[in-house]
Amino acid sequence: MTKIMSLDQLKTLRDNVKNKVDLRVKGENVENMVVVRVAMATCGIASGAREVMNYLAELIRDEDIENVVITQSGCMGYCYAEPTIEVTLPGKEPVVYGNVDKAKAKEILEKHILGGEMADGIIPAIHKSLDE
Amino acid sequence: MSCESCKNELAREMYAELEKFIDELPEKRGALISVLHRAQSIFGYLPKEVQAFVGEKLNISTAQVYGVVSFYSFFTMEPKGKYPISVCLGTACYVRGADKVLEAFKNELGIDVGQTTSDGKFSLDALRCVGACGLAPVVLIGDKVYGRINSAEQVKEIIKEYQD
Amino acid sequence: MSKYTMHVLVCGGTGCISSRSKEIVENLNLHIKEVGMEDSVQILTTGCFGFCEKGPIVKILPDNTFYVQVKPEDVEEIVKEHIVKGRKVERLLYVNPTTSDSVSDSKHMEFYKKQMRVALRNCGFIDPENIEEYIARDGYGALGKVLSMTQQEVIDEMKKSGLRGRGGGGFPTGLKWEFAYKNKSDQKYVVCNADEGDPGAFMDRSILEGDPHSIVEAMAICGYAIGANRGLVYIRAEYPLAVKRLETAILAAREYGLLGHDILGTGFDFDIEIKFGAGAFVCGEETALIHSMEGMRGEPTTKPPFPAESGYWGKPTNVNNVETFANVPVVFLKGADWFSKIGTEKSKGTKVFALAGKINNVGLIEVPMGITLREVIYDIGGGIKDGKKFKAVQTGGPSGGCLTEKDLDTPIDFDNLIAKGSMMGSGGMIVMDETDCMPAVAKFYLEFTEEESCGKCTPCRVGTKRLLEILEKIIAGNGTMEDLETLKELSQVIKDTALCGLGQTAPNPILSTLEAFEDEYIAHVRDHKCPAGKCTALLQYNITDKCIGCTACARICPVNAISGSPKQQHTIDQTKCIKCGACMTKCRFGAIVRE
């Protein structure tokens, strides 16, 4: 580590490391956040989940969208439809999309996350009923 | 360590370690307490000879060293047991029955506060607050913390862990 | 972009570590690796979350799930269910005791609802051993800001904030800084008092363990304001974890150029070293602390001269307590105006309390000044343990006093507590219920002060001993009404004549309990009874006619004090009875009573 020599350098460092705690800051306020959960088990990753997740993260950062937090889970059980992502709007039930590629991810972001309308490609919620 | 010469050898090494620490101090002024901390961690306690040695090295009187050693509760002039037991008598532990826990240890070990069992295994002390008040009453054995102790049976169980 | 998409925070405070939180971290590492998510899940050991009663705490973000009383064996389920499948582990959630609902978001817990975290802002949120996490939370930003102000501007801002010393006295911090600033000298010192000696208070330790950089930054700010380039932290040797975290923080700050020469290119030099205490309560008093740092017996000296004139090695020295320092960066980041809006007219900001004793939610809490005791005890603390009746709360440690039922709605601040015969002290708050005997509580504190008296001045050395002897006499059932008068009179003499704060406040536990619970003292003296049923010497066990003569009590009695034939009512020989209570515990028929 080279020494911080000025207040400006300190500010730059702060901006660079801010994302270390960003997830926690957002998480403390998760009930007002849109939570996007990407299934990142082996099959998900093999079908491109990581690229989708990184792409979504980039979009959100580039467009300064403050109220979205991206996280991940393991296998959600929809192996036939990987990559899958789950979107939860504040106070709403989670919605799962299957076969999400970059184009689909962009559509979900614009239509569902920002617009509040569901996009196509939703997998009917079955995991909840299986549990109960 | 039964033979006399091994003992001397060990003592010499300990004194050498302490001497090195003192010689390497950037400043001797005001260093007495940190030297005593070091000495106690090397020797386990601060017998008369060690206090005299420290005084000589720091160029202060043994009486002054003794004055400091006897002032602070952290310093001890008695060797501690292999497993030093400290019962917390802070307020939070007190109102949750720490006095009874201390009694149980006294009965179980047959020693009073400040003493060491004849086999050198356990010594018993009381201390004020380790800050684990959520677990009150609390007992420390070495660095290990035992919390929520509320019966003489539990005390027996804990001592049993160290019996072999 | 951080690669982690999930953060698992595990409490690494002393209390939780005692309940095996280190093993929890090990198991997390193991199981997260097992499911192949080690690149995306970050596991962090943080400082204290405060909810010590329910520790160890594990918090998962961004889901904001707060797991309580987690055992190392539970980790596998947390990983496989929550982290992999996104399903919360219901059985580890906190259950609201009144509604029986499980709560996963700590914001909705009664324990946290009324809290406001300023001094503890980063405790339980960041990794205390990682300076970049502190910087990410605007850490050292206040120092940067301060270095572009003049010394007088810094002091004025401090004065405007209204921050008062959190170590006990409540002296205005800005004013203290100004005194040290105005004394010209070639060398000045900033000292952080981390010799937390009040038994039952652990906020300073928690801050040092959970957010050590806030202290480093604040000391540098103070150094700049008063014109000092050397800082010393005087810390208890009994706090090994706090020492380690502080050492790590100091090293990192040096490495990043935030301590040392020419900080942030402004020409300001400042560095910090650690000095160890060795266990003496009186060293919390600033002159005694300074003597101890000089390697001597920690005995206080008369003030004036104040340390601001002649302190460490005779140089101007400013001593502040850990919690006071923890507030300093916030004052400059958010501004004195923001800070002074919190609290009451004369006590600004928040106060950290260590809530302990007979209360459901033991823990470390931070609340705005002016909150009532009722809110603290019933809302945050969850009420009295085992449904017993509230009797008193002791604040201010051995220097403080007891507050009772009638004080429950008094807003808590420095001045109100003093008016009630207690004091803020460092923030220990010990709750007592109907089974606690007040003369015995007073004796407990006097045992402490008598033992901790440094012996320098006679009123404290001899006076506390005499007070203790009288209390022992009363508790043994041998007190006289005259003793009660002597207690009051002697207490007043000690208050007026002792040299330092320790002695002057030592009689407080007696005076305040005598004031509020005089009838209880009288019961001990005149009726030879302990109303709380605590003082063994005054108790008597008796067997009632509920006894069916099963002989169980006679067999368990360690001194053979119980006699009687089978199937006949037994009796206890009071001259032999040692009042151990074994018979009462053993009796299945409730036939043995304690009076």
Side-chain angles (χ1 to χ4, degrees):
Chain A
M1 176 66 207
T2 49
K3 291 199 170 173
I4 305 165
M5 293 308 293
S6 68
L7 187 53
D8 286 336
Q9 281 182 20
L10 177 70
K11 282 182 179 151
T12 315
L13 175 65
R14 185 199 60 200
D15 293 341
N16 289 339
V17 295
K18 220 171 171 75
N19 61 52
K20 285 194 181 210
V21 295
D22 215 30
L23 187 81
R24 273 171 254 164
V25 177
K26 286 182 174 171
E28 294 264 294
N29 192 20
V30 76
E31 53 201 6
N32 301 317
M33 291 278 159
V34 178
V35 180
V36 179
R37 199 182 294 274
V38 183
M40 290 277 278
T42 315
C43 43
I45 295 171
S47 19
R50 193 181 297 281
E51 287 74 25
V52 169
M53 186 167 80
N54 290 344
Y55 177 67
L56 265 173
E58 269 168 40
L59 284 179
I60 284 162
R61 191 188 48 204
D62 292 348
E63 294 181 28
D64 280 326
I65 303 169
E66 285 287 324
N67 67 332
V68 177
V69 55
I70 298 182
T71 181
Q72 64 175 260
S73 64
C75 173
M76 288 189 202
Y78 310 109
C79 309
Y80 61 92
E82 295 293 350
T84 50
I85 69 173
E86 181 193 87
V87 177
T88 314
L89 299 186
K92 298 265 168 64
E93 285 294 310
V95 173
V96 179
Y97 291 93
N99 299 315
V100 181
D101 54 12
K102 284 187 182 176
K104 188 84 207 162
K106 195 162 193 249
E107 186 192 337
I108 294 169
L109 176 73
E110 282 161 2
K111 218 167 167 184
H112 189 165
I113 299 175
L114 299 177
E117 280 173 40
M118 298 201 190
D120 294 333
I122 294 174
I123 301 178
I126 47 163
H127 66 285
K128 229 186 152 101
S129 51
L130 280 179
D131 274 355
E132 283 150 9
Chain B
M1 263 193 289
S2 52
C3 91
E4 214 36 47
S5 67
C6 309
K7 247 187 194 162
N8 288 339
E9 180 61 29
L10 186 70
R12 228 188 344 264
E13 275 173 24
M14 294 200 280
Y15 277 108
E17 189 184 341
L18 182 60
E19 187 165 27
K20 185 162 174 275
F21 175 79
I22 298 172
D23 289 341
E24 284 172 2
L25 283 173
E27 195 179 6
K28 288 202 174 54
R29 185 177 74 151
L32 178 57
I33 291 177
S34 37
V35 170
L36 291 174
H37 271 293
R38 189 51 179 263
Q40 185 160 302
S41 79
I42 295 171
F43 292 89
Y45 67 117
L46 298 169
K48 220 161 59 187
E49 302 74 36
V50 172
Q51 294 180 39
F53 179 80
V54 168
E56 201 176 307
K57 288 295 295 180
L58 293 175
N59 204 18
I60 50 180
S61 73
T62 312
Q64 204 184 328
V65 178
Y66 174 78
V68 168
V69 170
S70 57
F71 186 84
Y72 296 98
S73 62
F74 191 81
F75 298 132
T76 168
M77 290 179 264
E78 294 287 323
K80 288 257 154 72
K82 186 175 171 200
Y83 304 111
I85 302 173
S86 310
V87 179
C88 178
L89 288 188
T91 323
C93 289
Y94 170 77
V95 300
R96 286 196 180 177
D99 46 343
K100 293 198 183 76
V101 176
L102 183 61
E103 276 310 308
F105 272 103
K106 282 187 194 169
N107 291 338
E108 206 53 41
L109 298 170
I111 53 173
D112 215 333
V113 171
Q115 294 180 335
T116 305
T117 51
S118 53
D119 58 0
K121 208 156 186 182
F122 298 103
S123 53
L124 187 60
D125 275 299
L127 58 76
R128 307 277 182 185
C129 203
V130 288
C133 306
L135 304 173
V138 166
V139 170
L140 265 107
I141 301 189
D143 290 335
K144 191 164 176 195
V145 180
Y146 294 84
R148 298 199 170 108
I149 300 171
N150 38 37
S151 71
E153 275 66 44
Q154 251 176 302
V155 169
K156 275 187 196 153
E157 287 295 310
I158 292 170
I159 292 175
K160 221 187 250 165
E161 278 182 41
Y162 296 86
Q163 292 291 9
D164 41 45
Chain C
M1 198 56 210
S2 173
K3 60 179 181 169
Y4 296 114
T5 52
M6 196 175 264
H7 295 185
V8 183
L9 314 185
V10 182
C11 178
T14 296
C16 283
I17 284 184
S18 308
S19 318
R20 308 201 291 163
S21 74
K22 273 187 180 157
E23 281 174 64
I24 294 176
V25 174
E26 282 165 22
N27 285 1
L28 274 168
N29 279 316
L30 196 83
H31 289 294
I32 299 242
K33 216 172 206 147
E34 209 175 85
V35 296
M37 291 174 77
E38 68 270 27
D39 288 336
S40 47
V41 179
Q42 186 182 21
I43 301 156
L44 292 145
T45 307
T46 69
C48 181
F49 283 84
F51 204 179
C52 308
E53 182 71 36
K54 295 285 174 195
I57 308 289
V58 173
K59 187 168 180 174
I60 299 183
L61 290 158
D63 306 18
N64 210 15
T65 307
F66 194 90
Y67 289 125
V68 297
Q69 289 178 321
V70 178
K71 290 190 217 50
E73 302 83 72
D74 298 326
V75 168
E76 188 170 358
E77 190 177 345
I78 293 179
V79 171
K80 296 203 164 144
E81 282 299 303
H82 188 149
I83 296 177
V84 173
K85 295 185 186 151
R87 289 192 284 225
K88 287 175 184 167
V89 182
E90 288 283 332
R91 67 179 179 88
L92 294 174
L93 294 176
Y94 174 72
V95 177
N96 182 326
T98 41
T99 62
S100 301
D101 291 336
S102 47
V103 187
S104 74
D105 180 347
S106 56
K107 273 201 298 290
H108 298 303
M109 292 177 193
E110 295 297 328
F111 182 76
Y112 286 105
K113 260 187 200 167
K114 291 199 166 166
Q115 292 201 45
M116 177 173 190
R117 300 194 135 208
V118 177
L120 301 175
R121 61 196 177 279
N122 288 325
C123 288
F125 194 84
I126 61 168
D127 174 358
E129 302 196 14
N130 185 338
I131 188 173
E132 293 195 352
E133 294 220 340
Y134 182 68
I135 291 173
R137 297 275 282 170
D138 293 323
Y140 293 100
L143 177 62
K145 209 169 179 178
V146 161
L147 292 179
S148 64
M149 296 158 75
T150 68
Q151 287 168 281
Q152 189 63 52
E153 278 168 359
V154 177
I155 287 165
D156 288 343
E157 186 79 359
M158 224 35 231
K159 279 160 78 176
K160 208 167 116 197
S161 74
L163 177 66
R164 292 169 66 173
R166 301 292 194 243
F171 193 82
T173 308
L175 214 53
K176 203 171 191 179
W177 288 15
E178 192 164 44
F179 290 146
Y181 165 61
K182 291 212 163 132
N183 282 304
K184 300 290 167 229
S185 174
D186 56 333
Q187 177 71 60
K188 294 183 190 178
Y189 297 97
V190 174
V191 173
C192 174
N193 181 354
D195 188 51
E196 195 165 46
D198 172 1
F202 52 99
M203 59 283 298
D204 293 349
R205 200 207 54 207
S206 292
I207 291 170
L208 287 166
E209 285 177 3
D211 194 17
H213 282 286
S214 67
I215 303 303
V216 172
E217 181 180 10
M219 287 178 75
I221 291 172
C222 176
Y224 176 76
I226 68 166
N229 57 27
R230 281 185 67 187
L232 301 120
V233 181
Y234 182 80
I235 187 169
R236 289 179 72 180
E238 291 94 330
Y239 282 178
L241 185 63
V243 170
K244 182 181 150 248
R245 298 237 166 104
L246 185 62
E247 278 171 347
T248 310
I250 292 171
L251 286 176
R254 279 191 200 133
E255 193 193 326
Y256 279 66
L258 296 162
L259 279 180
H261 286 294
D262 193 17
I263 295 169
L264 297 177
T266 59
F268 172 60
D269 303 337
F270 192 77
D271 212 335
I272 297 176
E273 63 181 297
I274 297 176
K275 286 270 181 185
F276 292 103
F281 179 68
V282 68
C283 289
E285 201 281 338
E286 52 186 12
T287 59
L289 181 151
I290 287 167
H291 296 309
S292 180
M293 289 202 310
E294 291 167 347
M296 295 188 277
R297 289 165 68 95
E299 290 174 352
T301 39
T302 41
K303 294 193 271 193
F306 288 91
E309 285 165 63
S310 171
Y312 189 54
W313 299 123
K315 302 290 183 186
T317 304
N318 178 73
V319 185
N320 284 133
N321 143 283
V322 172
E323 191 189 331
T324 313
F325 275 130
N327 279 291
V328 167
V330 184
V331 167
F332 291 97
L333 276 178
K334 301 211 170 179
D337 289 331
W338 177 87
F339 189 85
S340 63
K341 282 200 183 85
I342 310 165
T344 63
E345 194 196 337
K346 286 185 177 158
S347 301
K348 301 299 185 191
T350 57
K351 178 75 192 89
V352 182
F353 289 102
L355 201 53
K358 306 281 179 59
I359 191 152
N360 279 317
N361 299 337
V362 166
L364 198 64
I365 62 163
E366 182 170 358
V367 288
M369 296 269 192
I371 194 169
T372 65
L373 265 183
R374 190 185 300 281
E375 289 172 278
V376 169
I377 293 171
Y378 290 97
D379 297 344
I380 298 173
I384 310 301
K385 230 180 164 60
D386 304 324
K388 292 229 168 59
K389 200 170 161 283
F390 168 76
K391 183 167 187 178
V393 56
Q394 214 280 352
T395 66
S399 309
C402 284
L403 303 168
T404 59
E405 187 90 45
K406 67 177 179 10
D407 307 315
L408 279 177
D409 294 308
T410 307
I412 303 171
D413 69 8
F414 286 106
D415 310 291
N416 280 342
L417 287 183
I418 287 173
K420 297 271 173 198
S422 183
M423 65 185 286
M424 185 76 83
S426 53
M429 215 179 238
I430 312 283
V431 179
M432 296 175 214
D433 68 16
E434 53 197 321
T435 65
D436 286 304
C437 165
M438 298 325 270
V441 167
K443 173 176 156 265
F444 168 79
Y445 281 110
L446 258 294
E447 275 171 358
F448 180 84
T449 31
E450 188 260 343
E451 191 181 303
E452 292 293 338
S453 172
C454 76
K456 185 167 177 169
C457 75
T458 319
C460 177
R461 183 183 64 242
V462 183
T464 54
K465 182 132 189 95
R466 290 291 98 82
L467 287 177
L468 178 60
E469 283 166 1
I470 300 174
L471 286 173
E472 280 169 345
K473 199 174 146 196
I474 292 172
I475 283 162
N478 303 322
T480 62
M481 292 304 280
E482 205 189 333
D483 284 332
L484 298 185
E485 285 313 306
T486 317
L487 269 185
K488 283 184 203 164
E489 203 180 316
L490 183 53
S491 293
Q492 203 52 51
V493 172
I494 299 173
K495 259 179 112 85
D496 294 340
T497 56
L499 172 63
C500 78
L502 171 68
Q504 288 157 11
T505 56
N508 281 352
I510 298 181
L511 290 173
S512 75
T513 50
L514 252 179
E515 160 100 31
F517 299 98
E518 193 170 16
D519 51 336
E520 212 170 308
Y521 278 87
I522 294 174
H524 280 73
V525 171
R526 208 177 46 202
D527 314 329
H528 301 281
K529 287 255 189 295
C530 174
K534 196 93 181 177
C535 299
T536 358
L538 301 176
L539 292 179
Q540 225 183 54
Y541 288 87
N542 285 311
I543 301 177
T544 65
D545 54 11
K546 279 190 194 161
C547 175
I548 60 147
C550 74
T551 74
C553 58
R555 277 178 283 132
I556 193 100
C557 178
V559 290
N560 296 321
I562 303 180
S563 55
S565 345
K567 300 194 179 158
Q568 299 291 317
Q569 184 177 342
H570 283 45
T571 50
I572 300 177
D573 181 348
Q574 297 298 340
T575 56
K576 278 190 191 166
C577 175
I578 55 162
K579 290 147 185 164
C580 67
C583 52
M584 194 170 153
T585 326
K586 191 74 187 176
C587 181
R588 290 188 289 125
F589 308 97
I592 302 182
V593 292
R594 185 173 58 190
E595 294 163 313

